[in-house]
Amino acid sequence: MPGAIYAEGLVKTFGDVRALDGVDLDVPEGTVLGLLGPNGAGKTTAVRCLTTLLTPDSGKAVVAGIDVLKHPNEVRRSIGLSGQFAAVDEYLTGRENLQMVGQLYQMKAKAAKVRAAELLDRFHLTDAADRPSKTYSGGMRRRLDLAAALVVSPPVMFMDEPTTGLDPRNRLQLWEVIQELVAGGTTLLLTTQYLEEADHLAHDICVIDHGRVIARGTSDQLKAQTGGERVEVVVHEREHITTAAEVLAGFGKGEATVEQHTRKLTVPVSGGAKLLAEVIRELDVRGIEIDDIGLRRPTLDDVFISLTGHVAEEKVDENGAAAAAAQPRKRKKEAGK
């Protein structure tokens, strides 16, 4: 049976730009799918198609058991959506914004008022509840927008880069809210550029590039495809870089990469802290003084570059839709397909 969110062969073009090129998704009920990729990869276009804001050129989409193309109004009654930019009425207070959303969903005035108060408290906006939202900071407006998406407790939620612009404390608060929602049975599709966020929240992750899903798996599975852990070393003297690279190559799973200007060397490894201790001993034996050394897991850049072979840049078409305009290096074989 298809999941709470299901897409098959979604295609969407804007002129010559193929924003979606046959996207397949399947999100089981009560889980979080992280849609990971750079600006312009097609994440937002996919969300807009699944939430009825755009009509795909071809393909199939089903949300909460409802065909998106055949019954868009029914889909809208079953979902919550928080887009990339806060969509609040700046002349209404925070409380009035939430009450208005509730009444648009045909909640009774009293019920809408109670729900607004609950959400204002949940998102730490009670003190500013009766101020016009145009006086809110960017982070406050973002939280108000997220609260509006939750007014009717929808069974399916879409969040498009929800923590953009939030400080670390507010980001953690939002993560807690998302985890509570999912624990209560909500299904969530979350787009993000941050591996840490997907790592923390998502049961499964899809990496998307040029409108295609190029890999899928858990965070650990995707990181493993990029070579697992890495040892990073910053040598004290520039003349020791060559020798240090030889040492790291002896322990690594490939050649060390070197940043000459920072005197930093990086090599993929397996073996954890025990191997790190051995590297330190060997560098000491060779008389190489170091300023810093550490063991880290792959970053979003490591995962994305490993899978695609390029760094993507954002390009916006005439319709305001972002699409990837990359400077390709040599593309590796698509992973996870």
Side-chain angles (χ1 to χ4, degrees), residues 203-322:
H203 297 89
D204 216 4
I205 298 171
C206 279
V207 180
I208 189 169
D209 182 39
H210 292 298
R212 296 180 181 179
V213 174
I214 60 171
R216 179 164 182 162
T218 65
S219 178
D220 286 341
Q221 288 170 340
L222 293 178
K223 289 174 183 178
Q225 293 182 26
T226 67
E229 299 167 317
R230 284 155 166 70
V231 168
E232 286 186 350
V233 178
V234 178
V235 299
H236 186 68
E237 300 291 344
R238 197 173 301 278
E239 56 264 29
H240 288 155
I241 288 177
T242 300
T243 306
E246 293 173 358
V247 171
L248 292 180
F251 289 96
K253 297 168 64 178
E255 294 184 3
T257 58
V258 179
E259 296 178 11
Q260 291 285 345
H261 63 292
T262 60
R263 307 184 310 282
K264 183 171 78 173
L265 301 92
T266 306
V267 66
V269 298
S270 59
K274 181 179 179 181
L275 180 136
L276 183 62
E278 294 174 1
V279 171
I280 294 171
R281 282 195 294 269
E282 183 63 22
L283 291 170
D284 186 55
V285 168
R286 298 284 194 102
I288 300 172
E289 186 179 352
I290 60 175
D291 290 341
D292 192 21
I293 188 168
L295 187 69
R296 69 169 177 83
R297 304 188 78 187
T299 64
L300 168 62
D301 287 341
D302 296 326
V303 171
F304 188 76
I305 293 172
S306 175
L307 292 172
T308 68
H310 69 74
V311 176
E313 299 172 352
E314 187 173 21
K315 178 181 179 181
V316 180
D317 65 29
E318 66 274 13
N319 294 308

Side-chain angles (χ1 to χ4, degrees), residues 106-167:
Q106 300 181 344
M107 293 176 67
K108 292 183 178 180
K110 184 176 180 180
K113 184 176 181 179
V114 170
R115 182 58 175 160
E118 292 174 353
L119 290 167
L120 289 165
D121 181 65
R122 191 176 196 180
F123 283 89
H124 305 279
L125 291 169
T126 301
D127 290 344
D130 297 310
R131 284 168 34 198
S133 61
K134 66 181 179 181
T135 67
Y136 287 13
S137 67
M140 292 170 68
R141 289 169 65 91
R142 190 66 175 141
R143 281 182 279 151
L144 181 61
D145 180 68
L146 292 166
L150 298 174
V151 167
V152 294
S153 302
V156 178
M157 276 289 300
F158 294 85
M159 293 187 177
D160 194 5
E161 300 188 14
T163 61
T164 299
L166 296 185
D167 61 35

Side-chain angles (χ1 to χ4, degrees), residues 70-217:
K70 293 180 180 178
H71 306 290
N73 289 333
E74 291 182 29
V75 170
R76 292 173 195 136
R77 287 192 285 268
S78 302
I79 65 173
L81 169 64
S82 177
Q84 286 189 19
F85 306 102
V88 297
D89 188 319
E90 62 180 17
Y91 293 102
L92 298 180
T93 67
R95 191 184 308 277
E96 289 168 343
N97 265 284
L98 297 183
Q99 290 178 191
M100 177 186 69
V101 172
Q103 291 179 306
L104 287 172
Y105 274 98
Q106 300 181 344
M107 293 176 67
K108 292 183 178 180
K110 184 176 180 180
K113 184 176 181 179
V114 170
R115 182 58 175 160
E118 292 174 353
L119 290 167
L120 289 165
D121 181 65
R122 191 176 196 180
F123 283 89
H124 305 279
L125 291 169
T126 301
D127 290 344
D130 297 310
R131 284 168 34 198
S133 61
K134 66 181 179 181
T135 67
Y136 287 13
S137 67
M140 292 170 68
R141 289 169 65 91
R142 190 66 175 141
R143 281 182 279 151
L144 181 61
D145 180 68
L146 292 166
L150 298 174
V151 167
V152 294
S153 302
V156 178
M157 276 289 300
F158 294 85
M159 293 187 177
D160 194 5
E161 300 188 14
T163 61
T164 299
L166 296 185
D167 61 35
R169 181 174 64 88
N170 286 320
R171 182 177 294 115
L172 290 174
Q173 289 172 350
L174 175 59
W175 287 0
E176 290 174 2
V177 170
I178 290 173
Q179 289 171 324
E180 290 171 9
L181 287 171
V182 176
T186 300
T187 304
L188 173 64
L189 190 150
L190 169 79
T191 78
T192 182
Q193 298 182 62
Y194 307 122
L195 184 58
E196 178 191 10
E197 185 159 273
D199 199 357
H200 192 83
L201 297 173
H203 297 89
D204 216 4
I205 298 171
C206 279
V207 180
I208 189 169
D209 182 39
H210 292 298
R212 296 180 181 179
V213 174
I214 60 171
R216 179 164 182 162

